[in-house]
Amino acid sequence: MVLLNDERIAKIHCVDNKEKILSLKQRHKNILIDETRNQISNKSDLFCYARESIIKKLIEATNYLPNGYQFLIKEAYRPLSRQKKSFEEAFNYYKIQYPLKKDDEIYKVTCEYVAPVKVAGHPTGGAIDITLLKDGIEVDMGTKFNDVPMAPENLTYLYSDYIIDTAKVNRTILIDCMKKIGFANYPTEWWHWSYGDCYWAFLNNCDAIYSATDESEIYKLNT
């Protein structure tokens, strides 16, 4: 399993294709937004914005949803300042949880849950945190969204063997939909999928096409 602290990802070449970052709201009847934001730290009004290709691909992915299912977007774009703060908060949390581990070990554990700023997908507009609804209700995915991966079960890992069969079925639906449209999953988080960022580029042996974008630039382009 390749984590985001892998130096090969930091070396990925990126030429931003300058796609716009736009709102995911009201794009399709089966793409809904969790506007409560009660499970994320992102306070930006752009939390549900994504690159144009991400939006088009998600619309395409709705064709693969079983009857009664919908996508629920928890978070998409995340400002760089928030990404940095989230990493620092997670690092400090794990340092308390694992007092005997060295800082480099804590850094690796932190990368299982939060991306380092240099290679983070959310600030590029190319990553989304997504789950499923069935008949308007969030389905069982084995853990809550944004749960912390904990050994040995690692329930948040996409292919954890320790989740119940119902959750496995629901994850399989999400996996099938997202892979068919070319998204890559970050394997420690069943909800995190990306396209065009450094992690996606590493897995696809190509250059990244989305780089981190400052929040002010998005506002400027959308006014």
Side-chain angles (χ1 to χ4, degrees):
M1 180 172 64
V2 178
L3 298 180
L4 282 162
N5 64 334
D6 193 300
E7 63 181 18
R8 292 172 295 176
I9 298 173
K11 292 178 180 178
I12 289 291
H13 182 63
C14 178
V15 178
D16 197 297
N17 67 4
K18 304 302 181 183
E19 274 185 18
K20 291 182 179 179
I21 300 179
L22 304 170
S23 177
L24 278 157
K25 290 182 181 179
Q26 299 180 337
R27 295 292 177 175
H28 191 279
K29 65 179 181 179
N30 288 330
I31 301 175
L32 304 181
I33 311 297
D34 185 352
E35 298 196 50
T36 68
R37 287 191 269 182
N38 58 13
Q39 292 176 300
I40 63 174
S41 301
N42 190 349
K43 303 305 179 185
S44 171
D45 291 337
L46 305 179
F47 81 101
C48 60
Y49 276 56
R51 296 277 184 160
E52 287 179 289
S53 288
I54 303 298
I55 296 170
K56 290 176 182 177
K57 286 178 175 294
L58 281 175
I59 292 172
E60 179 187 350
T62 63
N63 295 321
Y64 306 115
L65 285 169
N67 289 336
Y69 281 80
Q70 295 172 301
F71 293 127
L72 179 64
I73 308 298
K74 295 288 188 175
E75 185 177 14
Y77 174 77
R78 183 185 300 155
L80 279 167
S81 58
R82 180 64 255 180
Q83 185 71 37
K84 181 180 180 181
K85 189 173 182 180
S86 293
F87 191 88
E88 290 171 350
E89 289 171 349
F91 182 90
N92 291 332
Y93 169 81
Y94 284 122
K95 201 162 187 177
I96 294 171
Q97 293 297 309
Y98 304 110
L100 300 181
K101 288 185 181 291
K102 298 178 181 178
D103 279 3
D104 59 339
E105 294 176 298
I106 297 295
Y107 184 86
K108 184 176 181 180
V109 173
T110 304
C111 288
E112 293 186 30
Y113 186 59
V114 183
V117 172
K118 186 175 181 180
V119 295
H122 283 290
T124 73
I128 55 170
D129 292 337
I130 186 170
T131 188
L132 297 173
L133 298 173
K134 184 178 182 183
D135 300 325
I137 299 172
E138 284 191 49
V139 303
D140 186 349
M141 298 295 281
T143 74
K144 294 180 180 178
F145 161 72
N146 249 355
D147 266 0
V148 177
M150 298 292 287
E153 295 88 354
N154 293 322
L155 299 180
T156 67
Y157 284 31
L158 185 64
Y159 294 109
S160 174
D161 290 327
Y162 295 91
I163 60 174
I164 64 173
D165 288 344
T166 300
K168 288 180 180 178
V169 169
N170 289 326
R171 286 195 191 183
T172 298
I173 292 171
L174 182 62
I175 292 166
D176 287 347
C177 288
M178 301 305 283
K179 287 196 171 181
K180 282 176 179 175
I181 59 169
F183 274 71
N185 170 257
Y186 190 56
T188 66
E189 301 176 348
W190 58 259
W191 56 83
H192 181 96
W193 297 80
S194 68
Y195 174 88
D197 66 345
C198 287
Y199 195 78
W200 168 89
F202 171 77
L203 295 180
N204 286 278
N205 194 29
C206 64
D207 292 343
I209 57 174
Y210 302 145
S211 59
T213 302
D214 189 80
E215 190 175 15
S216 62
E217 287 300 309
I218 303 173
Y219 278 118
K220 189 186 300 182
L221 292 172
N222 283 278
T223 54

